[in-house]
Amino acid sequence: MFQKLMQFMFGRRGNDELNICLIVVALILGFLNIFFRVFGLFLIYRIIYLVQLLLIVLFFVRFLSKNIAQRQKENDAFLRFLAKFKKSNKDDYNTVYSNDPVKKNKNYKYFKCPNCTAKLRVPKGKGKITITCPKCRTSFKGRS
Ligand SMILES: [Zn+2]
């Protein structure tokens, strides 16, 4: 049933990143709310329920809207907001090319870009990080 709903929603005009985000957040909130209900936190439960309803209403308003230009604007603003958030993410390290594998520095860990196979270098000991290839802008996860 859920899969059918997703199939119905995807690939339609008016369904964009913002709408997918709205419905995903609504679903996550609904899942979280099961716990608030079980633990008897009814005030939080009611607030989250209202937010969830609002998200779903927003989703359908945007989904059924004929004003595509306006929806596109909203989605662009949302994507810009996401990009800003990504930029301020401290996990994203600037990577440096290393063309000489012999001169490996032990303070760095070396990765190969899965897209263009460029050699990338990141500082060691940072844990799980997101590496962005400076050549092709591909992001992938790694452990340094
Ligand atoms: Zn690359």
Short mmCIF file of all heavy atoms in Angstrom, two decimals, residues 3-50:
data_model
loop_
_atom_site.label_atom_id
_atom_site.label_comp_id
_atom_site.label_asym_id
_atom_site.label_seq_id
_atom_site.Cartn_x
_atom_site.Cartn_y
_atom_site.Cartn_z
N GLN A 3 4.02 1.42 -0.90
CA GLN A 3 4.78 1.46 -2.14
C GLN A 3 3.94 2.02 -3.29
O GLN A 3 4.42 2.79 -4.10
CB GLN A 3 5.25 0.05 -2.50
CG GLN A 3 6.74 0.03 -2.79
CD GLN A 3 7.29 -1.36 -2.92
OE1 GLN A 3 6.55 -2.33 -2.87
NE2 GLN A 3 8.58 -1.46 -3.09
N LYS A 4 2.68 1.63 -3.28
CA LYS A 4 1.77 2.13 -4.30
C LYS A 4 1.59 3.63 -4.18
O LYS A 4 1.54 4.35 -5.17
CB LYS A 4 0.42 1.43 -4.17
CG LYS A 4 0.31 0.24 -5.08
CD LYS A 4 -1.12 -0.17 -5.29
CE LYS A 4 -1.17 -1.32 -6.27
NZ LYS A 4 -2.30 -2.20 -6.01
N LEU A 5 1.53 4.08 -2.94
CA LEU A 5 1.38 5.51 -2.66
C LEU A 5 2.60 6.26 -3.17
O LEU A 5 2.47 7.31 -3.81
CB LEU A 5 1.22 5.72 -1.14
CG LEU A 5 0.93 7.15 -0.69
CD1 LEU A 5 -0.51 7.54 -1.01
CD2 LEU A 5 1.17 7.28 0.80
N MET A 6 3.79 5.69 -2.92
CA MET A 6 5.02 6.33 -3.37
C MET A 6 5.06 6.38 -4.90
O MET A 6 5.45 7.37 -5.48
CB MET A 6 6.25 5.55 -2.85
CG MET A 6 6.49 5.71 -1.37
SD MET A 6 6.61 7.43 -0.83
CE MET A 6 8.25 7.45 -0.17
N GLN A 7 4.65 5.28 -5.50
CA GLN A 7 4.63 5.21 -6.96
C GLN A 7 3.69 6.27 -7.54
O GLN A 7 3.99 6.91 -8.52
CB GLN A 7 4.15 3.83 -7.41
CG GLN A 7 5.31 2.94 -7.81
CD GLN A 7 4.87 1.51 -8.03
OE1 GLN A 7 3.68 1.23 -8.16
NE2 GLN A 7 5.81 0.60 -8.05
N PHE A 8 2.59 6.46 -6.85
CA PHE A 8 1.61 7.45 -7.26
C PHE A 8 2.20 8.85 -7.16
O PHE A 8 1.98 9.69 -8.02
CB PHE A 8 0.36 7.32 -6.38
CG PHE A 8 -0.64 8.42 -6.57
CD1 PHE A 8 -1.49 8.42 -7.66
CD2 PHE A 8 -0.73 9.45 -5.64
CE1 PHE A 8 -2.41 9.44 -7.83
CE2 PHE A 8 -1.65 10.47 -5.81
CZ PHE A 8 -2.49 10.47 -6.91
N MET A 9 2.98 9.06 -6.10
CA MET A 9 3.51 10.39 -5.83
C MET A 9 4.70 10.75 -6.70
O MET A 9 4.81 11.86 -7.17
CB MET A 9 3.90 10.50 -4.35
CG MET A 9 2.70 10.71 -3.47
SD MET A 9 3.04 10.60 -1.73
CE MET A 9 4.68 10.04 -1.63
N PHE A 10 5.57 9.76 -6.92
CA PHE A 10 6.79 10.07 -7.66
C PHE A 10 6.49 10.20 -9.15
O PHE A 10 5.55 9.61 -9.66
CB PHE A 10 7.85 8.99 -7.41
CG PHE A 10 8.55 9.21 -6.11
CD1 PHE A 10 8.06 8.66 -4.95
CD2 PHE A 10 9.68 10.01 -6.05
CE1 PHE A 10 8.69 8.88 -3.74
CE2 PHE A 10 10.32 10.23 -4.86
CZ PHE A 10 9.82 9.67 -3.69
N GLY A 11 7.33 10.96 -9.80
CA GLY A 11 7.20 11.11 -11.23
C GLY A 11 6.05 12.00 -11.65
O GLY A 11 5.71 12.08 -12.82
N ARG A 12 5.43 12.66 -10.69
CA ARG A 12 4.37 13.58 -11.04
C ARG A 12 4.87 14.99 -10.93
O ARG A 12 5.73 15.30 -10.14
CB ARG A 12 3.19 13.40 -10.08
CG ARG A 12 2.30 12.30 -10.53
CD ARG A 12 1.07 12.28 -9.69
NE ARG A 12 0.31 11.11 -10.10
CZ ARG A 12 -0.97 11.16 -10.42
NH1 ARG A 12 -1.63 12.29 -10.33
NH2 ARG A 12 -1.58 10.08 -10.77
N ARG A 13 4.29 15.83 -11.71
CA ARG A 13 4.66 17.23 -11.63
C ARG A 13 4.17 17.78 -10.31
O ARG A 13 3.12 17.42 -9.83
CB ARG A 13 4.03 17.98 -12.78
CG ARG A 13 5.10 18.77 -13.47
CD ARG A 13 4.54 19.75 -14.41
NE ARG A 13 5.49 20.83 -14.49
CZ ARG A 13 6.13 21.14 -15.59
NH1 ARG A 13 5.91 20.50 -16.67
NH2 ARG A 13 6.97 22.13 -15.59
N GLY A 14 4.97 18.65 -9.73
CA GLY A 14 4.57 19.21 -8.44
C GLY A 14 5.17 18.42 -7.31
O GLY A 14 5.10 18.83 -6.17
N ASN A 15 5.75 17.28 -7.64
CA ASN A 15 6.44 16.53 -6.60
C ASN A 15 7.93 16.78 -6.75
O ASN A 15 8.53 16.41 -7.73
CB ASN A 15 6.12 15.04 -6.73
CG ASN A 15 6.40 14.35 -5.44
OD1 ASN A 15 6.07 14.87 -4.37
ND2 ASN A 15 7.01 13.21 -5.50
N ASP A 16 8.50 17.44 -5.76
CA ASP A 16 9.91 17.80 -5.85
C ASP A 16 10.61 17.45 -4.55
O ASP A 16 10.04 16.81 -3.68
CB ASP A 16 10.04 19.30 -6.17
CG ASP A 16 9.16 20.14 -5.27
OD1 ASP A 16 8.85 19.69 -4.14
OD2 ASP A 16 8.77 21.25 -5.67
N GLU A 17 11.87 17.89 -4.43
CA GLU A 17 12.67 17.57 -3.24
C GLU A 17 11.99 18.04 -1.97
O GLU A 17 11.99 17.34 -0.96
CB GLU A 17 14.06 18.21 -3.35
CG GLU A 17 14.97 17.53 -4.33
CD GLU A 17 14.85 18.12 -5.73
OE1 GLU A 17 13.88 18.88 -5.98
OE2 GLU A 17 15.71 17.84 -6.57
N LEU A 18 11.42 19.24 -2.03
CA LEU A 18 10.78 19.79 -0.83
C LEU A 18 9.61 18.92 -0.40
O LEU A 18 9.44 18.62 0.78
CB LEU A 18 10.32 21.23 -1.10
CG LEU A 18 9.60 21.96 0.04
CD1 LEU A 18 10.39 21.92 1.32
CD2 LEU A 18 9.32 23.39 -0.36
N ASN A 19 8.82 18.47 -1.36
CA ASN A 19 7.68 17.63 -1.04
C ASN A 19 8.10 16.28 -0.49
O ASN A 19 7.48 15.76 0.43
CB ASN A 19 6.80 17.46 -2.27
CG ASN A 19 5.54 18.28 -2.15
OD1 ASN A 19 5.39 19.07 -1.22
ND2 ASN A 19 4.62 18.10 -3.07
N ILE A 20 9.14 15.72 -1.06
CA ILE A 20 9.64 14.44 -0.57
C ILE A 20 10.11 14.61 0.87
O ILE A 20 9.82 13.79 1.75
CB ILE A 20 10.77 13.90 -1.48
CG1 ILE A 20 10.19 13.51 -2.84
CG2 ILE A 20 11.46 12.70 -0.84
CD1 ILE A 20 11.21 13.31 -3.93
N CYS A 21 10.80 15.74 1.11
CA CYS A 21 11.27 16.03 2.46
C CYS A 21 10.10 16.18 3.43
O CYS A 21 10.12 15.64 4.53
CB CYS A 21 12.11 17.31 2.44
SG CYS A 21 12.80 17.70 4.04
N LEU A 22 9.06 16.88 3.00
CA LEU A 22 7.87 17.08 3.86
C LEU A 22 7.28 15.75 4.28
O LEU A 22 6.98 15.52 5.45
CB LEU A 22 6.80 17.89 3.11
CG LEU A 22 7.02 19.40 2.96
CD1 LEU A 22 5.94 20.00 2.08
CD2 LEU A 22 7.02 20.09 4.31
N ILE A 23 7.11 14.86 3.31
CA ILE A 23 6.44 13.59 3.61
C ILE A 23 7.36 12.68 4.43
O ILE A 23 6.90 11.97 5.31
CB ILE A 23 5.93 12.91 2.30
CG1 ILE A 23 4.76 11.96 2.62
CG2 ILE A 23 7.00 12.19 1.55
CD1 ILE A 23 3.47 12.66 2.93
N VAL A 24 8.66 12.75 4.16
CA VAL A 24 9.60 11.92 4.93
C VAL A 24 9.64 12.39 6.39
O VAL A 24 9.58 11.58 7.31
CB VAL A 24 11.02 11.96 4.30
CG1 VAL A 24 12.06 11.38 5.24
CG2 VAL A 24 11.03 11.18 2.99
N VAL A 25 9.69 13.72 6.59
CA VAL A 25 9.69 14.25 7.96
C VAL A 25 8.39 13.88 8.66
O VAL A 25 8.40 13.48 9.83
CB VAL A 25 9.90 15.79 7.96
CG1 VAL A 25 9.69 16.38 9.34
CG2 VAL A 25 11.30 16.13 7.47
N ALA A 26 7.28 13.96 7.94
CA ALA A 26 5.98 13.60 8.53
C ALA A 26 5.99 12.13 8.96
O ALA A 26 5.49 11.78 10.04
CB ALA A 26 4.86 13.86 7.53
N LEU A 27 6.56 11.28 8.13
CA LEU A 27 6.63 9.84 8.45
C LEU A 27 7.52 9.59 9.67
O LEU A 27 7.17 8.79 10.55
CB LEU A 27 7.16 9.05 7.25
CG LEU A 27 6.17 8.84 6.11
CD1 LEU A 27 6.88 8.25 4.89
CD2 LEU A 27 5.03 7.94 6.52
N ILE A 28 8.65 10.29 9.72
CA ILE A 28 9.57 10.12 10.85
C ILE A 28 8.90 10.58 12.14
O ILE A 28 8.98 9.91 13.17
CB ILE A 28 10.90 10.88 10.60
CG1 ILE A 28 11.68 10.23 9.45
CG2 ILE A 28 11.76 10.91 11.86
CD1 ILE A 28 12.84 11.05 8.93
N LEU A 29 8.22 11.73 12.06
CA LEU A 29 7.52 12.25 13.24
C LEU A 29 6.45 11.26 13.70
O LEU A 29 6.28 11.03 14.90
CB LEU A 29 6.87 13.60 12.92
CG LEU A 29 7.82 14.79 12.84
CD1 LEU A 29 7.05 16.05 12.47
CD2 LEU A 29 8.56 15.01 14.15
N GLY A 30 5.75 10.68 12.73
CA GLY A 30 4.71 9.70 13.06
C GLY A 30 5.30 8.51 13.78
O GLY A 30 4.72 7.99 14.75
N PHE A 31 6.48 8.10 13.34
CA PHE A 31 7.17 6.97 13.96
C PHE A 31 7.61 7.33 15.39
O PHE A 31 7.40 6.58 16.33
CB PHE A 31 8.37 6.59 13.10
CG PHE A 31 9.15 5.42 13.64
CD1 PHE A 31 8.62 4.14 13.59
CD2 PHE A 31 10.38 5.60 14.23
CE1 PHE A 31 9.32 3.06 14.10
CE2 PHE A 31 11.10 4.53 14.74
CZ PHE A 31 10.55 3.27 14.67
N LEU A 32 8.21 8.52 15.54
CA LEU A 32 8.65 8.99 16.86
C LEU A 32 7.48 9.09 17.82
O LEU A 32 7.60 8.79 19.00
CB LEU A 32 9.29 10.38 16.73
CG LEU A 32 10.75 10.44 16.33
CD1 LEU A 32 11.19 11.88 16.16
CD2 LEU A 32 11.63 9.75 17.37
N ASN A 33 6.34 9.51 17.26
CA ASN A 33 5.17 9.74 18.10
C ASN A 33 4.65 8.46 18.76
O ASN A 33 4.02 8.52 19.81
CB ASN A 33 4.08 10.40 17.27
CG ASN A 33 3.68 11.73 17.88
OD1 ASN A 33 4.22 12.13 18.91
ND2 ASN A 33 2.74 12.39 17.27
N ILE A 34 4.93 7.34 18.14
CA ILE A 34 4.52 6.06 18.75
C ILE A 34 5.13 5.96 20.14
O ILE A 34 4.47 5.59 21.11
CB ILE A 34 4.98 4.87 17.87
CG1 ILE A 34 4.28 4.93 16.51
CG2 ILE A 34 4.71 3.55 18.57
CD1 ILE A 34 4.87 4.00 15.46
N PHE A 35 6.41 6.40 20.26
CA PHE A 35 7.11 6.31 21.55
C PHE A 35 6.55 7.31 22.56
O PHE A 35 6.36 6.98 23.72
CB PHE A 35 8.61 6.54 21.34
CG PHE A 35 9.25 5.46 20.54
CD1 PHE A 35 9.50 5.62 19.19
CD2 PHE A 35 9.58 4.25 21.14
CE1 PHE A 35 10.07 4.61 18.43
CE2 PHE A 35 10.15 3.23 20.39
CZ PHE A 35 10.40 3.42 19.04
N PHE A 36 6.29 8.52 22.07
CA PHE A 36 5.73 9.54 22.98
C PHE A 36 4.39 9.08 23.53
O PHE A 36 4.05 9.34 24.68
CB PHE A 36 5.60 10.88 22.27
CG PHE A 36 6.91 11.55 22.01
CD1 PHE A 36 7.30 11.89 20.73
CD2 PHE A 36 7.78 11.83 23.06
CE1 PHE A 36 8.52 12.50 20.48
CE2 PHE A 36 9.02 12.43 22.83
CZ PHE A 36 9.38 12.77 21.54
N ARG A 37 3.63 8.38 22.71
CA ARG A 37 2.33 7.90 23.13
C ARG A 37 2.49 6.78 24.16
O ARG A 37 1.82 6.75 25.19
CB ARG A 37 1.57 7.38 21.91
CG ARG A 37 0.09 7.34 22.13
CD ARG A 37 -0.56 6.96 20.82
NE ARG A 37 -1.99 6.81 20.98
CZ ARG A 37 -2.79 6.51 19.99
NH1 ARG A 37 -2.29 6.35 18.79
NH2 ARG A 37 -4.07 6.38 20.19
N VAL A 38 3.43 5.88 23.85
CA VAL A 38 3.67 4.75 24.74
C VAL A 38 4.13 5.24 26.10
O VAL A 38 3.72 4.72 27.14
CB VAL A 38 4.73 3.80 24.10
CG1 VAL A 38 5.26 2.80 25.13
CG2 VAL A 38 4.13 3.07 22.91
N PHE A 39 4.98 6.28 26.11
CA PHE A 39 5.51 6.77 27.39
C PHE A 39 4.59 7.80 28.05
O PHE A 39 4.96 8.39 29.06
CB PHE A 39 6.91 7.37 27.18
CG PHE A 39 7.95 6.33 26.87
CD1 PHE A 39 8.59 6.30 25.65
CD2 PHE A 39 8.27 5.35 27.82
CE1 PHE A 39 9.53 5.32 25.36
CE2 PHE A 39 9.20 4.38 27.54
CZ PHE A 39 9.84 4.36 26.30
N GLY A 40 3.45 8.01 27.47
CA GLY A 40 2.45 8.88 28.10
C GLY A 40 2.75 10.36 28.03
O GLY A 40 2.23 11.14 28.83
N LEU A 41 3.61 10.77 27.08
CA LEU A 41 3.92 12.20 26.92
C LEU A 41 2.90 12.81 25.96
O LEU A 41 3.21 13.11 24.81
CB LEU A 41 5.35 12.38 26.42
CG LEU A 41 6.43 11.82 27.36
CD1 LEU A 41 7.72 11.58 26.62
CD2 LEU A 41 6.67 12.79 28.51
N PHE A 42 1.69 12.99 26.47
CA PHE A 42 0.59 13.33 25.55
C PHE A 42 0.67 14.75 25.01
O PHE A 42 0.18 15.01 23.92
CB PHE A 42 -0.76 13.09 26.24
CG PHE A 42 -1.01 11.62 26.44
CD1 PHE A 42 -1.07 11.09 27.72
CD2 PHE A 42 -1.14 10.77 25.36
CE1 PHE A 42 -1.28 9.73 27.91
CE2 PHE A 42 -1.35 9.41 25.54
CZ PHE A 42 -1.41 8.89 26.81
N LEU A 43 1.28 15.65 25.78
CA LEU A 43 1.40 17.03 25.28
C LEU A 43 2.32 17.05 24.05
O LEU A 43 1.96 17.62 23.01
CB LEU A 43 1.96 17.95 26.38
CG LEU A 43 2.05 19.42 25.98
CD1 LEU A 43 0.66 20.03 25.79
CD2 LEU A 43 2.81 20.22 27.03
N ILE A 44 3.49 16.41 24.19
CA ILE A 44 4.43 16.33 23.06
C ILE A 44 3.77 15.59 21.90
O ILE A 44 3.87 15.98 20.74
CB ILE A 44 5.74 15.62 23.49
CG1 ILE A 44 6.42 16.42 24.61
CG2 ILE A 44 6.70 15.47 22.31
CD1 ILE A 44 7.60 15.73 25.24
N TYR A 45 3.06 14.53 22.26
CA TYR A 45 2.38 13.73 21.25
C TYR A 45 1.43 14.59 20.43
O TYR A 45 1.41 14.53 19.21
CB TYR A 45 1.62 12.58 21.93
CG TYR A 45 0.74 11.81 20.98
CD1 TYR A 45 1.29 10.88 20.11
CD2 TYR A 45 -0.64 12.03 20.95
CE1 TYR A 45 0.50 10.19 19.23
CE2 TYR A 45 -1.44 11.33 20.07
CZ TYR A 45 -0.88 10.41 19.21
OH TYR A 45 -1.66 9.72 18.34
N ARG A 46 0.64 15.41 21.13
CA ARG A 46 -0.33 16.26 20.44
C ARG A 46 0.34 17.30 19.56
O ARG A 46 -0.10 17.56 18.44
CB ARG A 46 -1.24 16.95 21.47
CG ARG A 46 -2.59 16.27 21.53
CD ARG A 46 -3.44 16.84 22.60
NE ARG A 46 -3.90 15.78 23.48
CZ ARG A 46 -4.20 15.94 24.76
NH1 ARG A 46 -4.08 17.12 25.33
NH2 ARG A 46 -4.63 14.94 25.47
N ILE A 47 1.42 17.91 20.07
CA ILE A 47 2.15 18.93 19.30
C ILE A 47 2.72 18.30 18.03
O ILE A 47 2.55 18.82 16.93
CB ILE A 47 3.28 19.58 20.15
CG1 ILE A 47 2.65 20.41 21.27
CG2 ILE A 47 4.16 20.46 19.27
CD1 ILE A 47 3.63 20.83 22.35
N ILE A 48 3.38 17.17 18.19
CA ILE A 48 3.99 16.50 17.03
C ILE A 48 2.91 16.07 16.04
O ILE A 48 3.07 16.20 14.83
CB ILE A 48 4.85 15.30 17.48
CG1 ILE A 48 6.10 15.82 18.20
CG2 ILE A 48 5.26 14.44 16.28
CD1 ILE A 48 7.06 14.76 18.66
N TYR A 49 1.79 15.61 16.59
CA TYR A 49 0.68 15.20 15.73
C TYR A 49 0.20 16.36 14.87
O TYR A 49 -0.05 16.21 13.68
CB TYR A 49 -0.46 14.65 16.60
CG TYR A 49 -1.60 14.10 15.80
CD1 TYR A 49 -1.47 12.88 15.14
CD2 TYR A 49 -2.79 14.79 15.70
CE1 TYR A 49 -2.51 12.37 14.39
CE2 TYR A 49 -3.85 14.29 14.96
CZ TYR A 49 -3.70 13.08 14.30
OH TYR A 49 -4.73 12.58 13.56
N LEU A 50 0.09 17.54 15.50
CA LEU A 50 -0.34 18.75 14.77
C LEU A 50 0.67 19.13 13.70
O LEU A 50 0.30 19.45 12.57
CB LEU A 50 -0.52 19.92 15.75
CG LEU A 50 -1.85 19.95 16.51
CD1 LEU A 50 -1.86 21.10 17.51
CD2 LEU A 50 -3.02 20.09 15.54
#
